[in-house]
Amino acid sequence: MTAPNSTIYDGLPLICAREEIRVLHLHDGSGDDKVVCTLEKVSLDDNPTFNALSYVWGDATITAPVTINGRILNVTRSLELALKHIRNYHTTLTSDESGSRQALWADAVCINQDDTAERAEQVQLMNGIYSKAFQVLIWLGDGTKHTDFAIDRMNGLKYGLDTGFQVKPCGHPSMDDIRVEVVLKQDICEREWWRRLWVRQEFLLADGEPVFLCGQKSVVWSLLLLSFLTVPRAWDYPQLAGKWEEVRKDIIEPSTGERYRIAGIHLASLNSLRSLVREEGRIPLSDTFGYLSRNATATDPHDYIYGFLGLLNKYDQHRIRVDYTINPMELYQSVGRLLWTQHADDMLKNMIMSLHFHGEDNGYPSWTPDFQRQSRRGWRDHRALAADRSWREEAVDVRFLDNGENLGLRGIRFDRVDVVHTVPDSFSTISALRHHLHILEDLFAKFVLGSKRAQRDYPPDELKSGETLLELLTKSPLLEGDYCIPGYTDEEVWNIIMGRLNTLPADLASPAGETRRKLVTSRLMTIFSGKLFNRTFFVTDSGYPGVGVVDISEGDVVTFIFGMKAPLILRPYVEHDRIVGCAYVSGLVDQDVLDAFYENDLLQEQVFSIC
């Protein structure tokens, strides 16, 4: 949005003590008529009736004029389109019982974006605005004939069974149901709204059921979620793979290169958090900074903290000062100190797995999470590196050392990283992936299995688990059973992904087995996206292989901090260490075995000084 004309807000100053906000009243219009509205202020203390809009601002350089209180204000094209559609097509959602149009709150207009003090005050009212709104309207963007069809089908569920989409007695989903699945998961749920940070708080705080608007159609959250969870999945019907591909080609625009996309946040996860907010009035910090913020994007780096402020408990809210003038890293450092001093157990057990840290000196302590640099990953990918439980929770020792500058963490020093290879975050072709898998295969053979493996007294060789390379790259608590893909041996799966058809059984290697091979490859790519893509493969001096955060380098140190679910990689720095991030290390997953070695004084314990 371009800089607002400050005179629009003349005569409408907001009194923070009365929890005052501004709301819009849309004037009548139709078609492509210009948007005209009136802006007024109300107090949340008076329980006004209004709807709150949740949307993506869009490109700030693409604007359109709207008339507010007789003056022109340039807003983003995204907001103008939302206001037009609400005015033209969604009057039944936005009118009261008498037929009068309800007021609307939209942040880009109702907050003076040029006034940083006002922005800071209004940020602290987000909880009240979205929880007291009559309805939260979520604008996903313009619709198509395909989204219209899918939303009509979703709305049809409320007239039938509560169980959602059901496969017909013949055992095959209908083409209509396949079409809904493709539109829902590869169009509607791929819209930018699912990735924006602010809108997640807006959705969770809604007191009533949120309503999703897509072009001229709307659907309530419960039906959208029910559809997402019950539409047939291609993986369950390998014999219909051709039907799914046919529908995708008809609906989805050709890929621009990235074949395996990462969505913003999983709908089931979002629903669980919404239920928690409605029951508890807040969500734990571990879910806020370690989960809800995953794959989130924000225009202002301060908002990686302020965008969730309304979801925190009062204790933590009061310890985070809203100030858009300070350096974002200073804000992150103060929040990091809050997390390490007041939520250390949760930090070690949950949050640290998905936070980004600076192993290189960036002018701030490495225990400061860089909230704006979290890598975009699947909604559960952080668990791919972790064990099911924390190790030695009873021995957690977290404290600030040296006048509060350095952070002390107790754990074991395990080994040093010797060789590394970083895997990119996406691949346009399977051949591009195989190039990297060949490199990993070679490193695994030389440094884990072969003659280049070092012989050392510490760490003990007995901890090695004997995992295959495929197990190392796929094994995690996210998988069920002994095999990464049920019905196939690990050797068959590896040879399929590597394209070694001459080693496969005849029925699988033949042209008739191509569909099965494609499904195995697709499934394995999904697993790899969680554990391998955008991560670094490494082998330690003693031949322990692992997979961890992308910043791991040769010379880094593998540790296991008490209270964590996964090893922590540290980087020696002068007389201290800096946090690099977490990793999965073969042999350090079975904590019963680790306990046995620890109790026999076979592991080196110390307090690490994190600078």
Side-chain angles (χ1 to χ4, degrees), residues 543-558:
Y544 282 83
V547 178
V549 296
V550 72
D551 296 326
I552 295 173
S553 298
E554 295 174 3
D556 289 344
V557 175
V558 179

Side-chain angles (χ1 to χ4, degrees), residues 183-194:
V183 174
L184 178 58
K185 295 186 177 180
Q186 298 188 35
D187 182 345
I188 293 175
C189 291
E190 285 286 335
R191 300 289 179 108
E192 185 63 22
W193 184 88
W194 303 97

Side-chain angles (χ1 to χ4, degrees), residues 306-354:
Y306 301 152
F308 295 123
L309 206 58
L311 298 171
L312 305 184
N313 62 40
K314 296 298 182 183
Y315 178 90
D316 291 324
Q317 282 186 27
H318 292 158
R319 281 157 180 76
I320 299 176
R321 184 169 64 94
V322 180
D323 182 356
Y324 279 94
T325 65
I326 64 172
N327 185 300
M329 283 302 297
E330 290 182 29
L331 171 63
Y332 299 165
Q333 184 175 352
S334 67
V335 173
R337 187 176 292 274
L338 171 67
L339 296 178
W340 286 114
T341 55
Q342 303 300 320
H343 303 277
D345 288 349
D346 217 359
M347 187 71 168
L348 293 174
K349 186 176 182 179
N350 296 305
M351 285 185 277
I352 197 171
M353 295 295 302
S354 55

Side-chain angles (χ1 to χ4, degrees), residues 137 158 227 261-262 289 291-292 345 398 510 571:
L137 305 177
K158 64 185 176 182
S227 302
R261 295 170 294 182
I262 298 172
F289 294 123
Y291 201 64
L292 188 60
D345 288 349
V398 177
S510 69
R571 181 163 298 159

Side-chain angles (χ1 to χ4, degrees), residues 25 39 45 55 80 87 101 104 115 129 139 221 245 258 290-291 342 396 420 433 452 548 558 589 605:
H25 291 274
L39 188 68
D45 291 341
Y55 68 106
E80 186 226 17
R87 179 195 66 190
R101 194 186 299 275
L104 182 70
D115 188 336
I129 292 171
W139 172 248
W221 166 246
E245 191 61 29
E258 186 176 349
Y291 201 64
Q342 303 300 320
V396 168
V420 300
L433 170 62
K452 293 193 175 183
V558 179
V589 178
E605 179 179 347

